[in-house]
Amino acid sequence: MPNLAVDVIDIIDPADDRVDDFRDLNSVDRRPDLPALPGGRPGKGLVIAEGVLVAQRMIASRFAPHAFLGVDKRLGELADDLTHPALAGVPFYRATAEVMADVVGFHLNRGVLAVARRPSTLDIASVIEDARTVAVLEGVNDHENIGSIFRNAAGLGVDAVVFGAGCADPLYRRCVRVSMGHALLVPFASAEAWPADLETLRSNGFRIVSLTPDPGSVALADAVDAERVAFMVGAEGPGLTETAMRAGDVRARIPMSRGTDSLNVATAAAIAFYERARREAPIS
Amino acid sequence: MPNLAVDVIDIIDPADDRVDDFRDLNSVDRRPDLPALPGGRPGKGLVIAEGVLVAQRMIASRFAPHAFLGVDKRLGELADDLTHPALAGVPFYRATAEVMADVVGFHLNRGVLAVARRPSTLDIASVIEDARTVAVLEGVNDHENIGSIFRNAAGLGVDAVVFGAGCADPLYRRCVRVSMGHALLVPFASAEAWPADLETLRSNGFRIVSLTPDPGSVALADAVDAERVAFMVGAEGPGLTETAMRAGDVRARIPMSRGTDSLNVATAAAIAFYERARREAPIS
């Protein structure tokens, strides 16, 4: 085992209060991964990474883990990552699978968790500063879809994500898991005024492309050749609001068969990201 | 209400044996939607459609429903579809939401179910006969991914699906639901000899394109310009077997960013379907 920066501490008693940040992950009342908002919302404002891969990505991200909980096998698998100087003195709470299940409230077969406090939020101007392609979401309130969008964004060369009105929290545990940890790596920001904040994108030279099934819109392939492109997608079903689309520059459609439903929002976004990526210099 | 072809029969007692085909849908031992295989497998070989939209698609498909179970509101929503002459004499068992929940074993907020017996299977030659684009799956054993692939196939103009070795049952209830009923409408067949049966595709003029993250393969956009194309995809993680790819004609990749994971298999398939669809005459 390499020289670990973390302090390995064995946890024998599931009630040990040192592992409270990992406790009752599925408890509606106390789940630690909800934002801590004024007005008595119960969340602790933590971000939780599950499994070796996502924990590695958390270590590489701006979300600095302040503790780990895991079985000995996963400690071994993470050992190289746990030598990182930034982790000096961070506790790795080592437990059996049984003790771990008692703490988190269910059997977690990924075997390791990392927890971080939420860092300060980023603003739109900073996340788009060096971006060529960004995704803009409106009304996407399904954590799995948001996680998939982050995963697809990372895989297909999208540089940042901007959240408009009505979106779910991208740091919710399920979202981070489905994103394979990319929700921690792809920078994101939330609009404060919607859709007025789209002006920040436009004034920075982004062409804002609204994805819509509207057959009167242009084909996706004819909409993406600008130097900077922002793809805007809405929730499955209702899609983007007319207000948001009016604030964009062009409406584009994916060619669809008659008599079918619109695609899942993360799938539609992936196709748009691909249409952009295939024209870029090879990114792999 | 239009003149219904179905016979509406009120069910008061959840134990009524006339609704046995809808009973205990989540029971591992008795679930009706598993294939009835020799050797004591418990399935009844039924196919179950959930919700108004999927029931409508079942009515329009070769899967002829032999019974419905639903609440009065959904009966009203389906009324136009239930006038179809092929449904003459088919029972529509009407029940309260409570009775329905007792029968199926959980509260089903889609409010209506249709059930059909499995028709005879199709063979590869027949499902590809008039097809220009087909999807071929190997080792895809996740019902949600298979359902998503059917949904994406239907939306993006793919004409048929061929199952190679190691795939899950496309008629499993969850798969039918995730497919939005398109698993009942897009024709599919299973290979009997794998990958030898790919020869049926090749001898019918299909170019067999294997999707792989291999950076040595050609770009997807350079692989799809044949008159007939079969896209072959493998399970997330392992991907296609080398044996299957050797039986194909060309290996193609979606351009991916360094340091990311491969895409979800249904997402990768959707991108391939899109790359094909965008070159066709407008299909919407």
Side-chain angles (χ1 to χ4, degrees):
Chain A
M1 175 111 37
N3 226 335
L4 300 181
V6 295
D7 291 336
V8 178
I9 297 166
D10 286 304
I11 298 292
I12 310 299
D13 176 6
D16 194 317
D17 61 10
R18 290 176 294 181
V19 292
D20 278 356
D21 280 353
F22 303 100
R23 195 172 300 288
D24 297 332
L25 290 186
N26 273 346
S27 158
V28 172
D29 289 347
R30 288 176 296 179
R31 44 187 311 158
D33 59 329
L34 294 178
L37 294 180
R41 182 100 171 256
K44 297 172 76 171
L46 302 175
V47 183
I48 291 183
E50 296 165 79
V52 169
L53 178 69
V54 180
Q56 286 169 326
R57 288 186 171 147
M58 179 179 268
I59 293 168
S61 79
R62 71 188 190 98
F63 295 79
H66 63 266
F68 295 83
L69 171 65
V71 298
D72 190 62
K73 181 175 176 217
R74 303 302 180 203
L75 171 62
E77 291 168 11
L78 271 174
D80 284 344
D81 305 277
L82 298 176
T83 62
H84 196 299
L87 296 175
V90 168
F92 187 110
Y93 297 113
R94 179 168 56 185
T96 63
E98 293 70 29
V99 168
M100 204 173 154
D102 278 351
V103 174
V104 305
F106 56 93
H107 177 73
L108 188 107
N109 60 14
R110 289 182 178 78
V112 65
L113 296 162
V115 61
R117 291 182 192 87
R118 294 182 180 227
S120 56
T121 57
L122 304 176
D123 63 20
I124 295 178
S126 69
V127 302
I128 67 170
E129 187 171 357
D130 298 313
R132 294 199 64 235
T133 310
V134 309
V136 181
L137 279 50
E138 183 195 43
V140 181
N141 57 10
D142 178 276
H143 291 108
E144 193 162 346
N145 281 337
I146 293 177
S148 297
I149 288 171
F150 271 103
R151 180 182 176 187
N152 297 339
L156 294 163
V158 170
D159 307 300
V161 176
V162 172
F163 290 96
C167 294
D169 175 20
L171 297 177
Y172 189 82
R173 182 166 59 91
R174 178 172 178 74
C175 181
V176 173
R177 180 176 73 233
V178 172
S179 82
M180 312 277 250
H182 290 295
L184 309 176
L185 289 169
V186 177
F188 64 85
S190 293
E192 292 180 4
W194 180 257
D197 281 357
L198 288 174
E199 192 50 36
T200 309
L201 286 159
R202 188 176 297 101
S203 64
N204 279 279
F206 280 87
R207 179 191 289 174
I208 301 168
V209 178
S210 301
L211 288 188
T212 166
D214 180 354
S217 57
V218 306
L220 175 63
D222 297 329
V224 305
D225 60 345
E227 174 67 22
R228 308 187 92 177
V229 170
F231 289 114
M232 187 156 64
V233 296
E236 231 171 305
L240 289 167
T241 61
E242 183 62 26
T243 315
M245 288 195 282
R246 282 195 191 165
D249 296 306
V250 58
R251 301 176 193 213
R253 67 184 155 75
I254 293 167
M256 295 283 297
S257 305
R258 249 186 293 266
T260 56
D261 321 283
S262 63
L263 296 167
N264 165 276
V265 60
T267 304
I271 287 172
F273 302 163
Y274 164 76
E275 181 59 62
R276 176 86 168 152
R278 73 177 182 84
R279 298 148 181 266
E280 304 282 300
I283 55 176
S284 68
Chain B
M1 173 116 30
N3 226 333
L4 301 181
V6 295
D7 292 336
V8 178
I9 297 166
D10 285 304
I11 298 292
I12 310 299
D13 176 6
D16 194 316
D17 61 10
R18 291 175 293 181
V19 292
D20 278 357
D21 281 354
F22 303 100
R23 196 172 299 287
D24 296 332
L25 292 186
N26 273 346
S27 156
V28 172
D29 290 345
R30 291 175 294 179
R31 45 188 309 160
D33 59 328
L34 294 179
L37 293 180
R41 184 102 172 256
K44 296 172 76 171
L46 302 174
V47 183
I48 292 183
E50 295 165 81
V52 169
L53 178 69
V54 180
Q56 286 169 326
R57 288 186 171 147
M58 178 178 269
I59 293 168
S61 79
R62 71 188 193 98
F63 295 78
H66 63 266
F68 296 82
L69 171 65
V71 298
D72 190 62
K73 181 175 175 213
R74 303 303 179 203
L75 171 63
E77 289 168 10
L78 271 173
D80 285 342
D81 305 276
L82 297 176
T83 61
H84 196 298
L87 295 176
V90 167
F92 188 109
Y93 297 115
R94 180 168 56 186
T96 62
E98 293 70 29
V99 168
M100 205 173 154
D102 279 350
V103 174
V104 305
F106 56 94
H107 177 73
L108 187 106
N109 61 14
R110 287 179 182 78
V112 66
L113 297 162
V115 62
R117 293 183 190 87
R118 291 181 183 229
S120 55
T121 56
L122 304 175
D123 63 20
I124 296 178
S126 69
V127 303
I128 67 170
E129 187 171 355
D130 299 313
R132 295 197 65 235
T133 310
V134 308
V136 181
L137 279 52
E138 184 196 43
V140 181
N141 57 9
D142 178 276
H143 290 109
E144 195 162 344
N145 281 337
I146 293 177
S148 296
I149 288 171
F150 271 102
R151 180 182 177 188
N152 297 338
L156 294 164
V158 171
D159 306 299
V161 177
V162 172
F163 289 97
C167 293
D169 176 20
L171 297 178
Y172 188 83
R173 182 167 59 93
R174 179 172 177 74
C175 180
V176 173
R177 181 176 71 232
V178 172
S179 82
M180 311 279 249
H182 290 295
L184 309 176
L185 288 169
V186 177
F188 65 86
S190 293
E192 293 180 1
W194 180 259
D197 281 357
L198 288 174
E199 192 49 37
T200 309
L201 287 160
R202 188 177 297 99
S203 64
N204 280 279
F206 280 87
R207 178 191 290 174
I208 302 169
V209 178
S210 301
L211 288 188
T212 167
D214 180 355
S217 57
V218 305
L220 175 63
D222 296 329
V224 305
D225 60 345
E227 175 66 20
R228 309 186 93 178
V229 169
F231 289 113
M232 188 157 63
V233 296
E236 231 172 304
L240 290 167
T241 61
E242 183 62 27
T243 315
M245 286 194 284
R246 283 197 189 160
D249 295 306
V250 58
R251 302 178 192 213
R253 68 186 153 73
I254 294 167
M256 295 283 297
S257 305
R258 252 186 289 267
T260 57
D261 323 282
S262 63
L263 295 167
N264 167 276
V265 60
T267 304
I271 287 172
F273 302 163
Y274 164 76
E275 180 58 62
R276 177 85 169 153
R278 74 178 181 84
R279 297 148 181 268
E280 304 282 300
I283 55 177
S284 67

